[in-house]
Amino acid sequence: HGGVAAVANYSGGNFSLFRLGDNGVPLACLQTVNHQGHGTDLSRQERPHVHCMVFHSDGQRLYAVDLGLDRCVCYRQGSDCTWTPSPAEDLVSPVPGAGFRHMVIHPGQRFAYVNGEMDNGVTCFRMGEEGAAPVPVGTWSALSPAERQCASFTAAMCLHPNGRFLYVSNRGADSIAVFRLHPEGAVAGWAGTFPAGGAWPRDMRLTPQGDRLVVAHQHSDTLAVFRLDQQTGMGTLEGITPSPTP
C-alpha cells in the first residue's frame, strides 16, 4: 500500500513494514512493532500471534490482526511516516478466546468482518468515525449444525466483488461458508456451506469478475475451482488439480 508492504510475523508476535521499489521488491525494513500480552486460552494465546495485516483504504489506518490478543490492533501513520497505536480504534472480540485470524473491510467502509480461528465465528463490526471505536454488531458461526460436531478451524476469508457475499473456509469440516450481506455491508445471515473439494482448505481467492472461487487444500495437495451462483453465492465444483502443499 503506497509503496509499503506490511508483513505479519505469527511466531514473533510482531509485524514489519518494508519500503518497496518500483518493481515491487522490498528495499528496506522501515519499522518493526512488537505486541505485548496474551489471551484467555493459554494453550493457543499464551502470547501475541500477529496473523494478518490490513491497510484501510484511507491510507492512514493499518490493522494488525492478532490471534493471541483477540483483537485487530489499529495503527495510524504519523507525520514522520511511522505507525503508532490508536487503541480507541481497535476491533476487540466480544467472544474471549475467539482467536482472530483474518479481517476484511467492506468497500462501503462502514462495516468490517473478522473470523475467529478458534471459535469458528465471524464477527461483523460497524466502523466508527475517525478516532471512534468500532462496534461489534453480531457473531455468526461459519459451520452448519452438523459440522459443529467435528473439530474444525476457520482459515481464509474473502469478499465477493459485488459486496453481497462473504466466504470463509473451514479446516476440519472441509467446507466453505457463505454469508449474505446487506448493500451497506451489514451481515444479513449465514447462507450455508458447500464442500470445499479437498482436505484442510487453508486459503482461497476469488477471480476479479467474481465468477469463480479457487480453494487451496493443504492436506490433499490440491486446488479446487468452483463456479459461483451470482444469486445465492453458493459454489459448484468445476475441477481439481494437484498442487503440492498449497
Side-chain angles (χ1 to χ4, degrees), residues 85-102:
S86 179
E89 298 179 277
D90 287 359
L91 284 70
V92 182
S93 174
V95 181
F100 273 5
R101 181 181 175 94
H102 285 182

Side-chain angles (χ1 to χ4, degrees), residues 215-229:
V215 182
H217 301 102
Q218 181 179 353
H219 289 177
S220 57
D221 296 334
T222 53
L223 299 177
V225 180
F226 294 87
R227 184 179 70 254
L228 298 178
D229 186 306

Side-chain angles (χ1 to χ4, degrees), residues 91 109-112 124-129 132-138 184 186:
L91 284 70
Q109 311 302 320
R110 294 177 58 190
F111 292 91
C124 177
F125 288 85
R126 187 187 308 276
M127 302 297 281
E129 299 297 327
V135 178
V137 296
E184 76 279 8

Side-chain angles (χ1 to χ4, degrees), residues 41-183:
D41 185 343
L42 297 183
S43 68
R44 291 288 312 278
Q45 299 177 308
E46 77 290 354
R47 56 192 175 91
H49 291 296
V50 182
H51 210 298
C52 175
M53 303 298 299
V54 178
F55 282 100
H56 193 282
S57 62
D58 64 11
Q60 299 302 309
R61 281 174 283 180
L62 173 63
Y63 297 92
V65 185
D66 197 315
L67 182 148
L69 303 183
D70 275 334
R71 67 175 58 213
C72 305
V73 184
C74 181
Y75 292 84
R76 281 195 170 268
Q77 189 173 31
S79 57
D80 60 353
C81 294
T82 61
W83 295 81
T84 57
S86 179
E89 298 179 277
D90 287 359
L91 284 70
V92 182
S93 174
V95 181
F100 273 5
R101 181 181 175 94
H102 285 182
M103 173 185 177
V104 174
I105 301 174
H106 190 270
Q109 311 302 320
R110 294 177 58 190
F111 292 91
Y113 323 97
V114 188
N115 64 306
E117 175 177 325
M118 296 160 58
D119 76 339
N120 294 302
V122 173
T123 299
C124 177
F125 288 85
R126 187 187 308 276
M127 302 297 281
E129 299 297 327
E130 183 171 339
V135 178
V137 296
T139 299
W140 292 260
S141 176
L143 301 172
S144 69
E147 290 171 334
R148 295 171 199 171
Q149 306 308 310
C150 69
S152 193
F153 310 89
T154 66
M157 181 169 58
C158 53
L159 182 68
H160 195 280
N162 65 18
R164 295 174 50 205
F165 302 109
L166 182 72
Y167 295 90
V168 179
S169 69
N170 297 312
R171 297 168 296 169
D174 294 339
S175 66
I176 306 299
V178 184
F179 293 88
R180 300 186 310 275
L181 305 179
H182 291 296

Side-chain angles (χ1 to χ4, degrees), residues 25-38:
V25 175
L27 299 178
C29 182
L30 302 173
Q31 185 179 2
T32 295
V33 178
N34 292 287
H35 284 184
Q36 303 294 329
H38 59 80

